[in-house]
Amino acid sequence: MAAVSAPLRALPALLAPQHSRWPALGVLATGMLMTVLDGSIVTVAMPAIQSDLGFTPAGLSWVVNAYLIAFGSLLLLAGRLGDLVGRKRLFLAGTVVFTAASLLAGVSTSPEVLIAARFLQGVGSALASAVSLGILVTLFTEPRERARAIAVFSFTGAAGASIGQVLGGVLTDALSWHWIFFINLPIGLAALALAVPALPRDRGLGLRAGADTAGALLVTGGLMLGIYSVVKVEEYGWTSARTLGTGAVAALLLAGFFVRQARARTPLMPLRILRSRSVAGANLVQMLMVTALFSFQILVALHLQNVLGYGAAETGLAMLPAAAVIGAVSLGVSARLTARFGERNVLLTGIVLLIGVLGLLARVPVHAHYATDILPVMFLAAGFGLALPALTSLGMSGASEADAGLASGLFNTTQQIGMAVGVAVLSTLAASRTRSLTAHGATRAEALTSGYHLAFTVGTGLLVAALSIAYVVLRKPRTTA
């Protein structure tokens, strides 16, 4: 009897990890939703924030920049810390910091307090986001289930941007801009309550396995200064002494970081991770894609408002079909297509569709009609639902379990760098074309449309480059008998 009861008593312990995986995915997706939602919801409320708190035009940009600099510069460090001290522990700490900072942002009564709160939000987001993919890939090891899990995770990020635009407009108009931050409180508290039992415990490798303080200072300082120099390009210009000087210092710090990692006894980022063709190639492709697709995520919304006269809530609703098709593809078919045709082929197909998105947007007329000129573009956004999950799978596939947090942090870091470069390059090109045409007598609508067309065209070229790199670099090496 005792011999029978012992296996029965062990059965719940054997089954628990299997059953806890999907609730854990729900926690990770909730964390992703909170982060992405916060990024898009703020942009809609910027005019109300400026009016209420008395921001100058230059100062207002720091509501976005403070978050972006903290988030982008700490992701790599946070990812490695997750491997060392435990990914669950870092996710919980990041969620606590983000939720508390959201409360501080919501009660802000001065520009200084709001900017400080946004910086702290970026710190919390970096801690939680950097390890999310690392947790996911260690939970889901079977290829088909991992593809499904990554599809859900990717959809949450893609849909969160569209939801944020609608929600930001509704909350700002119906209540006040303060509520775009207060909305994070119930989401953050729910994520914490669910994360404690759902996420697996992991002890981490210990700080002795990679406590490279000098490397941490070099990479964090280099990324922070580099992102700062990029986001300020629109204000100072590409060839200004300020931009070139800060960019050069950032490059030196990052070069010093790589030299340090090659020589350090316990490196913060073991360079072996970059020897994986899938990891290196996927991160490069992602940087190009995110840089290009900034023009869809932001400039389409600006075109709808500034040229076609849409309001904030109308703009969000106009872009909802994109979220719907992304969800239908990523949740419905991407995992099955990946299992049948492989990540690389699904990624290539998705990029081709996205090239169609920006290519069509580059031809949208000044007096565009939503049904005939904009809506077809929203349907082609299904390419997001194919490309993002496949790219995420490739970016994490070459990392060992010990380096999963690092790979996750690296993947998120290249995403943020691509976003910062997209903001700087494409918005600067669009603004320059608009100013030039306005000076030559073009109407405001004509000048804005032409500026957006230029950004969409450059974005199309970047996607073509991403397609070429994905085709060549992500090809599986030939095996010899």
Side-chain angles (χ1 to χ4, degrees), residues 83-448:
D83 292 330
L84 300 179
V85 305
R87 290 184 278 272
K88 177 178 181 178
R89 186 179 301 173
L90 211 66
F91 180 88
L92 292 174
T95 304
V96 168
V97 171
F98 181 87
T99 305
S102 296
L103 176 60
L104 179 61
V107 299
S108 296
T109 56
S110 70
E112 294 78 14
V113 173
L114 181 57
I115 290 172
R118 289 289 289 162
F119 186 88
L120 289 175
Q121 279 189 307
V123 173
S125 289
L127 296 178
S129 300
V131 296
S132 294
L133 282 173
I135 297 173
L136 188 152
V137 298
T138 55
L139 280 173
F140 297 90
T141 56
E142 195 274 321
R144 186 182 293 272
E145 284 196 339
R146 178 182 286 188
R148 287 174 58 198
I150 288 178
V152 172
F153 189 79
S154 299
F155 163 72
T156 305
S162 297
I163 296 171
Q165 289 174 331
V166 178
L167 194 59
V170 171
L171 289 175
T172 302
D173 291 342
L175 297 171
S176 72
W177 65 264
H178 301 275
W179 285 90
I180 68 171
F181 299 112
F182 290 148
I183 194 67
N184 291 326
L185 301 184
I187 301 175
L189 293 174
L192 286 170
L194 295 171
V196 172
L199 294 184
R201 294 180 181 179
D202 57 322
R203 295 176 58 88
L205 302 173
L207 291 176
R208 291 183 179 180
D212 179 16
T213 304
L217 292 174
L218 285 168
V219 70
T220 303
L223 287 172
M224 191 170 290
L225 194 58
I227 294 172
Y228 169 80
S229 64
V230 170
V231 299
K232 299 300 286 182
V233 160
E234 190 172 358
E235 182 177 347
Y236 295 108
W238 286 101
T239 58
S240 69
R242 189 185 189 105
T243 299
L244 294 176
T246 55
V249 174
L252 287 174
L253 289 173
L254 292 175
F257 168 72
F258 283 105
V259 171
R260 169 74 183 175
Q261 299 315 287
R263 298 178 178 178
R265 184 176 180 182
T266 56
L268 179 71
M269 188 184 81
L271 297 182
R272 64 176 179 270
I273 195 170
L274 297 178
R275 296 177 192 149
S276 167
R277 194 167 179 174
S278 60
V279 171
N283 276 278
L284 180 57
V285 170
Q286 178 182 228
M287 191 179 299
L288 290 169
M289 281 181 56
V290 173
T291 301
L293 293 174
F294 159 80
S295 60
F296 176 81
Q297 296 168 329
I298 303 298
L299 296 186
V300 170
L302 291 176
H303 184 270
L304 291 173
Q305 293 185 58
N306 294 335
V307 178
L308 301 184
Y310 285 35
E314 288 178 299
T315 299
L317 291 172
M319 298 186 72
L320 270 183
V325 297
I326 292 169
V329 172
S330 60
L331 299 178
V333 300
S334 68
R336 291 197 293 271
L337 291 175
T338 296
R340 182 171 182 179
F341 300 106
E343 290 98 342
R344 176 175 173 270
N345 290 328
V346 172
L347 171 62
L348 294 174
T349 303
I351 296 177
V352 168
L353 291 176
L354 294 175
I355 290 172
V357 168
L358 297 191
L360 287 177
L361 286 173
R363 300 172 61 85
V364 170
V366 175
H367 303 292
H369 298 284
Y370 180 79
T372 56
D373 297 313
I374 306 296
L375 188 58
V377 173
M378 299 298 164
F379 289 135
L380 282 177
F384 281 98
L386 294 177
L388 294 180
L391 188 60
T392 303
S393 295
L394 288 165
M396 296 297 296
S397 63
S400 65
E401 183 172 347
D403 291 333
L406 173 60
S408 174
L410 178 62
F411 194 75
N412 281 290
T413 298
T414 57
Q415 185 180 86
Q416 293 304 307
I417 292 173
M419 186 179 298
V421 172
V423 170
V425 174
L426 298 182
S427 62
T428 300
L429 288 173
S432 298
R433 170 67 66 85
T434 298
R435 285 195 298 268
S436 176
L437 291 176
T438 300
H440 287 82
T443 66
R444 180 174 182 271
E446 291 172 341
L448 285 170

Side-chain angles (χ1 to χ4, degrees), residues 439-463:
H440 287 82
T443 66
R444 180 174 182 271
E446 291 172 341
L448 285 170
T449 301
S450 183
Y452 297 144
H453 282 177
L454 176 60
F456 295 140
T457 300
V458 173
T460 303
L462 292 172
L463 286 177

Side-chain angles (χ1 to χ4, degrees), residues 1-16:
M1 188 71 175
V4 175
S5 61
L8 290 177
R9 287 195 302 270
L11 187 58
L14 292 173
L15 292 178

